Amino acid sequence: GTNMTGSSSDLEFADGTFLQLITAPQGRAGSQGGIEMTAQLDRPLNELFDFNFKFRTKSSIASTGMLWLWNYQFNRWDFKKSFPTRTTEGDSVVTVTNMNRYVDANGVVSIRLRGHIPVNRPGGTSAWTYSVDFAQLEASYEAPPP
């Protein structure tokens, strides 16, 4: 994507303040754009469970949203789930298992949120606005024994 407005602070809270970018046509792949971010775990991975990625998105025309995670084991982006991105803001939650392959030695998780319209759908050959209001990684943890 191009022409980004906003900053990482717009992703912290569901407050109606969006990080926005203009998507870019990618030939036969259609029109797409997205953001990459990192999350820092505040506890060791072996103390955490029930990982959920929560985010709020919208776009100027209906599109498909996608969540990708960087796989540190195989050095590649892994597609996790698609979800509808509408012209009105909507919340999505993606539960991820086997997080050990998506967390580096320092507890960092790399995340990619992308909006996409195939070339054969209206909007698939033009630029449109993809917006993210908030994005967060949540996990449950076990308290250490007394």
Side-chain angles (χ1 to χ4, degrees):
T2 61
N3 299 325
M4 186 173 78
T5 59
S7 68
S8 59
S9 64
D10 297 315
L11 303 176
E12 290 186 72
F13 305 102
D15 57 4
T17 304
F18 289 83
L19 184 142
Q20 298 182 317
L21 62 97
I22 304 300
T23 63
Q26 301 291 311
R28 295 177 53 165
S31 184
Q32 55 190 311
I35 61 170
E36 290 181 9
M37 66 194 108
T38 59
Q40 176 70 51
L41 300 183
D42 61 357
R43 297 184 176 278
L45 182 60
N46 63 352
E47 294 180 11
L48 300 171
F49 60 97
D50 294 335
F51 285 88
N52 290 302
F53 292 90
K54 296 182 177 185
F55 39 92
R56 178 173 290 165
T57 58
K58 70 177 181 177
S59 63
S60 58
I61 56 178
S63 63
T64 300
M66 294 179 272
L67 173 73
W68 299 73
L69 297 178
W70 182 254
N71 184 323
Y72 291 95
Q73 182 178 359
F74 295 110
N75 293 319
R76 67 177 188 217
W77 287 103
D78 284 352
F79 171 75
K80 300 315 290 180
K81 188 171 184 178
S82 63
F83 51 92
T85 303
R86 298 181 173 84
T87 57
T88 56
E89 55 190 81
D91 292 349
S92 297
V93 177
V94 176
T95 300
V96 179
T97 58
N98 286 333
M99 278 298 292
N100 59 324
R101 66 183 69 173
Y102 303 115
V103 180
D104 77 359
N106 299 310
V108 174
V109 180
S110 295
I111 305 158
R112 181 182 279 174
L113 280 176
R114 179 180 285 173
H116 177 252
I117 298 178
V119 70
N120 61 350
R121 283 194 28 217
T125 58
S126 60
W128 44 277
T129 304
Y130 181 68
S131 305
V132 182
D133 185 359
F134 83 97
Q136 62 189 24
L137 168 61
E138 290 183 349
S140 300
Y141 71 93
E142 300 249 358

